[in-house]
Structure formats: structure tokens, C-alpha cells
Amino acid sequence: MYPTVLRLPPLLALTFSLSLLCGPSLPAAAADKKTAKAKVETKPAADKKTAKPAATAEAEKAASAMPADREAATRLQVFLDRANFGPGKIDGRYGGFSEKALGLYREAHGLPPLPAAPAPAKVEGQPEKTTPLPDLADMDLASVKAVFIDYVVTEADVKATGELPKEVPEMAKLKWLPYASVAEAVAEKFHVDIDYLKELNPGKLDALKAGDTLRVPNVQPFEISGVKALPLLDQLAEKDAANEKEKGKQKPKAEAGKKSSEAKGKVADKPKKQPEIAKDKAPKTGPLTADQIAIKVDTKDNMLRVFENEKLVAAYPVTIGSAQTVSPLGEWKVKGIARLPDFRYDLSFLKTGERGDKTYLLAPGPNDPVGVIWVALNKPGIGLHGTSDPDSIGRSASHGCVRLANWDIARLATRVRAGVVVSIH
């Protein structure tokens, strides 16, 4: 296995060996997607100030024109995504990962399980229908007040794009692997299927520029610019420990007053005895410890579950290893987390498991084959990571690792730390 040095946070100061087992062999579909780059005008629109998504009457009016079943399915997907039970890419259709995420959400919140959703009837010559939603009267889906919002494309969105070569040797010459188009950047930001984004914005995606307004699902946006600053638990714990150490060095304020009283022959008041707090009942602050967190990956349903203090709190869709490069079953531990990692590409190793003569070091970026986050496990070269192709999640095999959409791995990274047990079964 060929090592590569990942760009790690200074506080962690870790170096990992990133195995070639873990990247996709740059799927042809992904490569084709990147070469079909939309023509983008980089000149900023004059006097356009809005850069935040905002619910508007126009978006609500447009949403009302959508078929009721598609809007209802999107509402559920947005609800689940906000609750950290990822439905996969939002496409306005119930079933698949949406159904799995719904089942896990209900399990986590003590709601009764639902019967399996029936497949929609197919009628030749008519548009495909979505799977009907079950009765969800016991869930507060109305908390999603605006299913869609208007989003104004920003200069940052445009600058996040660039030319992305199709061939790996040419990609290796780049210092950053950007989005291939503004449409791709916006789709990933709002966790939405690119085809669904086209449906929501007919005729708009081919020449996007700063200042253009798009209709998008109302989820918490994924910001590629914020990956480096993600609040990792190990860093937060180090900061808390440093603060506590600093507090211990400070001289108690009461000490000077006490000496003054004793000098005058006065007896200081005896401090009142404070009630003892049982150790097991002492309030705990700060990040959860590694033994309070557990990750379980189910290879049968392609879902990753997050437990905190033995309670299910989040779940995300994954792609696992293929029959040729199986994800290692068993229990492993998180070794560390790298944000915006490099990836050493070896086509021979990816296909046969044998090291080849030619390797290429691919730079970080949203289109790096292992995505924007690498969570290393204590098995060399194996980890949890992102992807350059969110369409592949659950639909194609990873090379031995566990792959998530970039927006999901970014959320997972803030919930784990070194020492957390990852069970793959």
C-alpha cells in the first residue's frame, strides 16, 4: 500500500497511510459528469447583495405547482436530512434510502415501525410515479415550513468551480480538484440530485453566474469552504483541557483577603461544608468521550448508524466494499480524522490488489476520489470517507472502505473522535 501524507489539523498532527483500496477508480460516469461542465460567466452581477438562501413567496408559489406526492416526498426528505437521518440525495421520491432513514428515525424516537412501502405501479407511456408515503401523522413534518427556498448563486460558488480534466495524469497536475460546474456545486451544497435540481429550475443550469436565483431544498447547506474549520471533538477536548489547566494556574482571589484578616488577629469565617456529589452523578461537560460514541455499519442495508450513550442519534447512507475488495468485517477503532486529504491513485492496485508502476498523487477538493474527509481506522488504509460522485452512494461498490456523500461525512466527522469503535457487520 502506498502512503500519502494527508493535510491534517495542527492539533491532531497525525499522518495516515491512505490505501488505494479506498478510492473509486474514477468511475466513468463521474468523469463524464465532470467533463460536461456548464459554461459559467465569472463576471459578478451588478449590485446583487443577497448571498443567503431565503424562503420567498415566489418559491412557495412554484412549490405549490409541483405534484403533491413529489412535494410531500421532498418535505419528508428535508425533515429527515435536518434531523441527521440522511435520506441520500434529495430527489422528491420516497423509497430506498428515504424509507430506510425514516425507519431509523422512528426507531430512534420511539415511534412504531411502518410496513414496507409498496412499489408504485408502472404504466407504459406515463411518467414514473413515486412510492406513496405512509401515514406519518405521528411526526411533525409541518415543522418544515418551507420545503423549497430561493438561493442566490454567489461569487464563492463560481470560484469553487474550474476545469476538471477527464484523465488522471492531467488531474494530478492540479493543486485543487474543484467542482466542474456551478450546478454541481449548488447540488452538493443543498444535498440534491442534479436531475431534480434541473426539474426545479428548468432551463437555468447551463449558464449559471453569480446573482442568479435557484430553487433548492430547504436543508442546512454544505459549505466546501467550511471543511477546514469543522469542529472536531478531539480538538474541542484539547481546548477544554488547556482551559482547565490555565484555570488551575490562577491564584485564588480569596487568598490575599485571608492573609489580611490573619494579620489583624481576626479569625476568618469557617467555610460552609458543601454537599458531596457522587462521582457517578457528577455533571459532565465538554465533548463526549470515545467510549460514549459508537458507529455501526450494516452491510445489508447500506446504512451507517451513530450511537451516543447507547442511543441512536444519526444515520447516513453508505457504499461498502465489493466482492473483490470487501470492507473488513469486525470491530475497528477510529485512529484520526483528516480534512481535505490527498489521494494516491494506482489503477493496477484498484483493479487487482497488486501495486503498479505508475501512481498519481491527486490533490484535495470536492472532486478528490475520497471526498473532503478521511476518517482513518486502525486497519492500514481502511477508513470512512467522502466521494466525488454522490450518485454512487449505495449503488456501486467502494474499494474496501465505507463511502458517504461529502455532506454526510462532514457531519459524521464532527461526531466521532480517536478511539471510537466502528463495527462493520
mmCIF file of all heavy atoms in Angstrom, residues 221-253:
data_model
loop_
_atom_site.group_PDB
_atom_site.id
_atom_site.type_symbol
_atom_site.label_atom_id
_atom_site.label_comp_id
_atom_site.label_asym_id
_atom_site.label_seq_id
_atom_site.Cartn_x
_atom_site.Cartn_y
_atom_site.Cartn_z
ATOM 1 N N PRO A 221 -27.119 23.990 4.439
ATOM 2 C CA PRO A 221 -26.170 23.891 3.318
ATOM 3 C C PRO A 221 -24.829 23.293 3.735
ATOM 4 O O PRO A 221 -24.332 23.540 4.832
ATOM 5 C CB PRO A 221 -25.998 25.341 2.863
ATOM 6 C CG PRO A 221 -27.166 26.082 3.431
ATOM 7 C CD PRO A 221 -27.509 25.387 4.708
ATOM 8 N N PHE A 222 -24.249 22.509 2.841
ATOM 9 C CA PHE A 222 -22.880 22.028 2.997
ATOM 10 C C PHE A 222 -21.956 23.041 2.347
ATOM 11 O O PHE A 222 -22.094 23.354 1.167
ATOM 12 C CB PHE A 222 -22.705 20.656 2.337
ATOM 13 C CG PHE A 222 -21.265 20.273 2.114
ATOM 14 C CD1 PHE A 222 -20.455 19.947 3.184
ATOM 15 C CD2 PHE A 222 -20.710 20.280 0.834
ATOM 16 C CE1 PHE A 222 -19.121 19.614 2.993
ATOM 17 C CE2 PHE A 222 -19.386 19.947 0.628
ATOM 18 C CZ PHE A 222 -18.592 19.605 1.710
ATOM 19 N N GLU A 223 -21.003 23.557 3.110
ATOM 20 C CA GLU A 223 -20.094 24.583 2.603
ATOM 21 C C GLU A 223 -18.695 23.992 2.437
ATOM 22 O O GLU A 223 -18.040 23.645 3.409
ATOM 23 C CB GLU A 223 -20.042 25.781 3.558
ATOM 24 C CG GLU A 223 -21.375 26.485 3.790
ATOM 25 C CD GLU A 223 -21.816 27.327 2.593
ATOM 26 O OE1 GLU A 223 -21.017 27.433 1.630
ATOM 27 O OE2 GLU A 223 -22.931 27.868 2.624
ATOM 28 N N ILE A 224 -18.238 23.878 1.202
ATOM 29 C CA ILE A 224 -16.898 23.345 0.967
ATOM 30 C C ILE A 224 -15.846 24.235 1.627
ATOM 31 O O ILE A 224 -14.813 23.752 2.110
ATOM 32 C CB ILE A 224 -16.622 23.199 -0.548
ATOM 33 C CG1 ILE A 224 -15.276 22.541 -0.800
ATOM 34 C CG2 ILE A 224 -16.695 24.542 -1.250
ATOM 35 C CD1 ILE A 224 -15.176 21.119 -0.344
ATOM 36 N N SER A 225 -16.119 25.528 1.706
ATOM 37 C CA SER A 225 -15.167 26.463 2.313
ATOM 38 C C SER A 225 -15.072 26.300 3.828
ATOM 39 O O SER A 225 -14.134 26.799 4.448
ATOM 40 C CB SER A 225 -15.563 27.906 1.990
ATOM 41 O OG SER A 225 -16.857 28.193 2.511
ATOM 42 N N GLY A 226 -16.027 25.600 4.420
ATOM 43 C CA GLY A 226 -16.024 25.434 5.870
ATOM 44 C C GLY A 226 -15.428 24.129 6.360
ATOM 45 O O GLY A 226 -15.361 23.884 7.571
ATOM 46 N N VAL A 227 -14.964 23.281 5.437
ATOM 47 C CA VAL A 227 -14.465 21.959 5.834
ATOM 48 C C VAL A 227 -13.253 22.067 6.756
ATOM 49 O O VAL A 227 -13.136 21.357 7.754
ATOM 50 C CB VAL A 227 -14.129 21.109 4.597
ATOM 51 C CG1 VAL A 227 -13.423 19.815 4.996
ATOM 52 C CG2 VAL A 227 -15.399 20.786 3.818
ATOM 53 N N LYS A 228 -12.327 22.979 6.425
ATOM 54 C CA LYS A 228 -11.112 23.110 7.247
ATOM 55 C C LYS A 228 -11.426 23.515 8.675
ATOM 56 O O LYS A 228 -10.661 23.222 9.599
ATOM 57 C CB LYS A 228 -10.169 24.145 6.625
ATOM 58 C CG LYS A 228 -9.386 23.639 5.429
ATOM 59 C CD LYS A 228 -8.373 24.678 4.978
ATOM 60 C CE LYS A 228 -7.544 24.181 3.809
ATOM 61 N NZ LYS A 228 -6.542 25.188 3.378
ATOM 62 N N ALA A 229 -12.538 24.210 8.869
ATOM 63 C CA ALA A 229 -12.886 24.726 10.201
ATOM 64 C C ALA A 229 -13.902 23.848 10.928
ATOM 65 O O ALA A 229 -14.430 24.262 11.959
ATOM 66 C CB ALA A 229 -13.420 26.149 10.074
ATOM 67 N N LEU A 230 -14.186 22.651 10.425
ATOM 68 C CA LEU A 230 -15.147 21.783 11.097
ATOM 69 C C LEU A 230 -14.719 21.543 12.540
ATOM 70 O O LEU A 230 -13.545 21.233 12.812
ATOM 71 C CB LEU A 230 -15.262 20.439 10.370
ATOM 72 C CG LEU A 230 -16.060 20.424 9.071
ATOM 73 C CD1 LEU A 230 -15.955 19.054 8.410
ATOM 74 C CD2 LEU A 230 -17.513 20.776 9.316
ATOM 75 N N PRO A 231 -15.632 21.668 13.503
ATOM 76 C CA PRO A 231 -15.275 21.483 14.920
ATOM 77 C C PRO A 231 -15.135 20.004 15.280
ATOM 78 O O PRO A 231 -16.111 19.324 15.567
ATOM 79 C CB PRO A 231 -16.463 22.119 15.655
ATOM 80 C CG PRO A 231 -17.622 21.943 14.710
ATOM 81 C CD PRO A 231 -17.050 22.037 13.329
ATOM 82 N N LEU A 232 -13.912 19.505 15.271
ATOM 83 C CA LEU A 232 -13.667 18.099 15.598
ATOM 84 C C LEU A 232 -13.615 17.903 17.112
ATOM 85 O O LEU A 232 -13.081 18.740 17.841
ATOM 86 C CB LEU A 232 -12.361 17.634 14.960
ATOM 87 C CG LEU A 232 -12.250 17.809 13.434
ATOM 88 C CD1 LEU A 232 -10.930 17.251 12.931
ATOM 89 C CD2 LEU A 232 -13.427 17.152 12.731
ATOM 90 N N LEU A 233 -14.166 16.782 17.579
ATOM 91 C CA LEU A 233 -14.276 16.540 19.015
ATOM 92 C C LEU A 233 -12.915 16.503 19.710
ATOM 93 O O LEU A 233 -12.773 17.005 20.825
ATOM 94 C CB LEU A 233 -15.016 15.230 19.272
ATOM 95 C CG LEU A 233 -16.492 15.184 18.857
ATOM 96 C CD1 LEU A 233 -17.111 13.844 19.234
ATOM 97 C CD2 LEU A 233 -17.269 16.320 19.521
ATOM 98 N N ASP A 234 -11.912 15.895 19.076
ATOM 99 C CA ASP A 234 -10.596 15.824 19.708
ATOM 100 C C ASP A 234 -10.004 17.220 19.899
ATOM 101 O O ASP A 234 -9.367 17.498 20.919
ATOM 102 C CB ASP A 234 -9.647 14.966 18.868
ATOM 103 C CG ASP A 234 -9.880 13.486 19.089
ATOM 104 O OD1 ASP A 234 -10.065 13.080 20.240
ATOM 105 O OD2 ASP A 234 -9.892 12.731 18.099
ATOM 106 N N GLN A 235 -10.229 18.099 18.943
ATOM 107 C CA GLN A 235 -9.731 19.464 19.089
ATOM 108 C C GLN A 235 -10.465 20.201 20.200
ATOM 109 O O GLN A 235 -9.851 20.936 20.978
ATOM 110 C CB GLN A 235 -9.900 20.216 17.773
ATOM 111 C CG GLN A 235 -8.941 19.768 16.682
ATOM 112 C CD GLN A 235 -9.120 20.578 15.422
ATOM 113 O OE1 GLN A 235 -10.248 20.822 15.005
ATOM 114 N NE2 GLN A 235 -8.032 20.987 14.814
ATOM 115 N N LEU A 236 -11.783 20.014 20.268
ATOM 116 C CA LEU A 236 -12.563 20.659 21.322
ATOM 117 C C LEU A 236 -12.130 20.165 22.698
ATOM 118 O O LEU A 236 -12.040 20.941 23.657
ATOM 119 C CB LEU A 236 -14.055 20.388 21.111
ATOM 120 C CG LEU A 236 -14.671 20.974 19.834
ATOM 121 C CD1 LEU A 236 -16.127 20.553 19.705
ATOM 122 C CD2 LEU A 236 -14.562 22.496 19.831
ATOM 123 N N ALA A 237 -11.853 18.860 22.797
ATOM 124 C CA ALA A 237 -11.414 18.299 24.074
ATOM 125 C C ALA A 237 -10.052 18.865 24.484
ATOM 126 O O ALA A 237 -9.818 19.164 25.661
ATOM 127 C CB ALA A 237 -11.345 16.769 23.973
ATOM 128 N N GLU A 238 -9.148 19.013 23.513
ATOM 129 C CA GLU A 238 -7.834 19.587 23.802
ATOM 130 C C GLU A 238 -7.967 21.029 24.283
ATOM 131 O O GLU A 238 -7.264 21.462 25.204
ATOM 132 C CB GLU A 238 -6.951 19.528 22.556
ATOM 133 C CG GLU A 238 -6.458 18.139 22.221
ATOM 134 C CD GLU A 238 -5.557 18.134 21.002
ATOM 135 O OE1 GLU A 238 -5.105 19.238 20.591
ATOM 136 O OE2 GLU A 238 -5.299 17.058 20.461
ATOM 137 N N LYS A 239 -8.873 21.752 23.651
ATOM 138 C CA LYS A 239 -9.088 23.148 24.042
ATOM 139 C C LYS A 239 -9.643 23.228 25.460
ATOM 140 O O LYS A 239 -9.204 24.063 26.265
ATOM 141 C CB LYS A 239 -10.059 23.804 23.058
ATOM 142 C CG LYS A 239 -10.254 25.290 23.290
ATOM 143 C CD LYS A 239 -11.149 25.893 22.212
ATOM 144 C CE LYS A 239 -11.339 27.390 22.440
ATOM 145 N NZ LYS A 239 -12.208 27.995 21.400
ATOM 146 N N ASP A 240 -10.604 22.349 25.788
ATOM 147 C CA ASP A 240 -11.169 22.332 27.139
ATOM 148 C C ASP A 240 -10.105 21.987 28.169
ATOM 149 O O ASP A 240 -10.048 22.584 29.251
ATOM 150 C CB ASP A 240 -12.313 21.319 27.217
ATOM 151 C CG ASP A 240 -13.571 21.814 26.517
ATOM 152 O OD1 ASP A 240 -13.611 23.003 26.145
ATOM 153 O OD2 ASP A 240 -14.508 21.008 26.335
ATOM 154 N N ALA A 241 -9.260 21.006 27.839
ATOM 155 C CA ALA A 241 -8.205 20.597 28.769
ATOM 156 C C ALA A 241 -7.222 21.739 29.008
ATOM 157 O O ALA A 241 -6.771 21.970 30.138
ATOM 158 C CB ALA A 241 -7.477 19.373 28.213
ATOM 159 N N ALA A 242 -6.901 22.470 27.946
ATOM 160 C CA ALA A 242 -5.978 23.604 28.078
ATOM 161 C C ALA A 242 -6.590 24.697 28.945
ATOM 162 O O ALA A 242 -5.901 25.320 29.765
ATOM 163 C CB ALA A 242 -5.635 24.150 26.690
ATOM 164 N N ASN A 243 -7.891 24.931 28.785
ATOM 165 C CA ASN A 243 -8.572 25.946 29.601
ATOM 166 C C ASN A 243 -8.580 25.564 31.070
ATOM 167 O O ASN A 243 -8.371 26.404 31.956
ATOM 168 C CB ASN A 243 -10.000 26.149 29.105
ATOM 169 C CG ASN A 243 -10.056 26.856 27.763
ATOM 170 O OD1 ASN A 243 -9.101 27.531 27.372
ATOM 171 N ND2 ASN A 243 -11.151 26.695 27.049
ATOM 172 N N GLU A 244 -8.833 24.284 31.340
ATOM 173 C CA GLU A 244 -8.848 23.816 32.726
ATOM 174 C C GLU A 244 -7.464 23.930 33.356
ATOM 175 O O GLU A 244 -7.323 24.284 34.521
ATOM 176 C CB GLU A 244 -9.321 22.355 32.775
ATOM 177 C CG GLU A 244 -10.806 22.160 32.493
ATOM 178 C CD GLU A 244 -11.671 22.882 33.508
ATOM 179 O OE1 GLU A 244 -11.344 22.847 34.719
ATOM 180 O OE2 GLU A 244 -12.664 23.502 33.102
ATOM 181 N N LYS A 245 -6.446 23.629 32.562
ATOM 182 C CA LYS A 245 -5.075 23.730 33.068
ATOM 183 C C LYS A 245 -4.732 25.169 33.403
ATOM 184 O O LYS A 245 -4.083 25.460 34.413
ATOM 185 C CB LYS A 245 -4.109 23.182 32.016
ATOM 186 C CG LYS A 245 -2.672 23.079 32.489
ATOM 187 C CD LYS A 245 -1.808 22.416 31.431
ATOM 188 C CE LYS A 245 -0.369 22.309 31.916
ATOM 189 N NZ LYS A 245 0.503 21.664 30.880
ATOM 190 N N GLU A 246 -5.194 26.084 32.555
ATOM 191 C CA GLU A 246 -4.930 27.505 32.779
ATOM 192 C C GLU A 246 -5.640 27.997 34.030
ATOM 193 O O GLU A 246 -5.096 28.787 34.803
ATOM 194 C CB GLU A 246 -5.394 28.301 31.554
ATOM 195 C CG GLU A 246 -5.015 29.771 31.586
ATOM 196 C CD GLU A 246 -3.518 29.998 31.583
ATOM 197 O OE1 GLU A 246 -2.790 29.141 31.029
ATOM 198 O OE2 GLU A 246 -3.083 31.013 32.145
ATOM 199 N N LYS A 247 -6.851 27.518 34.248
ATOM 200 C CA LYS A 247 -7.597 27.898 35.453
ATOM 201 C C LYS A 247 -6.876 27.433 36.714
ATOM 202 O O LYS A 247 -6.869 28.109 37.737
ATOM 203 C CB LYS A 247 -9.002 27.296 35.416
ATOM 204 C CG LYS A 247 -9.940 27.963 34.422
ATOM 205 C CD LYS A 247 -11.309 27.298 34.469
ATOM 206 C CE LYS A 247 -12.251 27.935 33.441
ATOM 207 N NZ LYS A 247 -13.586 27.266 33.451
ATOM 208 N N GLY A 248 -6.279 26.229 36.637
ATOM 209 C CA GLY A 248 -5.584 25.685 37.796
ATOM 210 C C GLY A 248 -4.362 26.489 38.182
ATOM 211 O O GLY A 248 -3.918 26.459 39.332
ATOM 212 N N LYS A 249 -3.796 27.216 37.226
ATOM 213 C CA LYS A 249 -2.605 28.027 37.500
ATOM 214 C C LYS A 249 -2.945 29.346 38.169
ATOM 215 O O LYS A 249 -2.098 29.975 38.789
ATOM 216 C CB LYS A 249 -1.859 28.312 36.192
ATOM 217 C CG LYS A 249 -1.221 27.084 35.564
ATOM 218 C CD LYS A 249 -0.516 27.480 34.276
ATOM 219 C CE LYS A 249 0.152 26.287 33.620
ATOM 220 N NZ LYS A 249 0.833 26.674 32.347
ATOM 221 N N GLN A 250 -4.191 29.792 38.048
ATOM 222 C CA GLN A 250 -4.586 31.083 38.591
ATOM 223 C C GLN A 250 -4.660 31.033 40.115
ATOM 224 O O GLN A 250 -5.163 30.079 40.695
ATOM 225 C CB GLN A 250 -5.940 31.498 38.003
ATOM 226 C CG GLN A 250 -5.893 31.739 36.501
ATOM 227 C CD GLN A 250 -7.258 32.070 35.930
ATOM 228 O OE1 GLN A 250 -8.224 32.153 36.669
ATOM 229 N NE2 GLN A 250 -7.321 32.267 34.631
ATOM 230 N N LYS A 251 -4.179 32.099 40.775
ATOM 231 C CA LYS A 251 -4.163 32.181 42.234
ATOM 232 C C LYS A 251 -5.558 32.522 42.740
ATOM 233 O O LYS A 251 -6.186 33.458 42.252
ATOM 234 C CB LYS A 251 -3.184 33.279 42.672
ATOM 235 C CG LYS A 251 -2.914 33.302 44.152
ATOM 236 C CD LYS A 251 -1.852 34.339 44.453
ATOM 237 C CE LYS A 251 -1.517 34.358 45.933
ATOM 238 N NZ LYS A 251 -0.484 35.360 46.249
ATOM 239 N N PRO A 252 -6.080 31.769 43.717
ATOM 240 C CA PRO A 252 -7.428 32.069 44.244
ATOM 241 C C PRO A 252 -7.508 33.492 44.768
ATOM 242 O O PRO A 252 -6.615 33.967 45.465
ATOM 243 C CB PRO A 252 -7.591 31.043 45.376
ATOM 244 C CG PRO A 252 -6.631 29.954 45.048
ATOM 245 C CD PRO A 252 -5.470 30.620 44.379
ATOM 246 N N LYS A 253 -8.574 34.195 44.452
ATOM 247 C CA LYS A 253 -8.738 35.588 44.859
ATOM 248 C C LYS A 253 -8.890 35.723 46.365
ATOM 249 O O LYS A 253 -8.528 36.720 46.956
ATOM 250 C CB LYS A 253 -9.960 36.188 44.166
ATOM 251 C CG LYS A 253 -9.804 36.317 42.663
ATOM 252 C CD LYS A 253 -11.038 36.927 42.038
ATOM 253 C CE LYS A 253 -10.888 37.064 40.532
ATOM 254 N NZ LYS A 253 -12.093 37.650 39.912
#
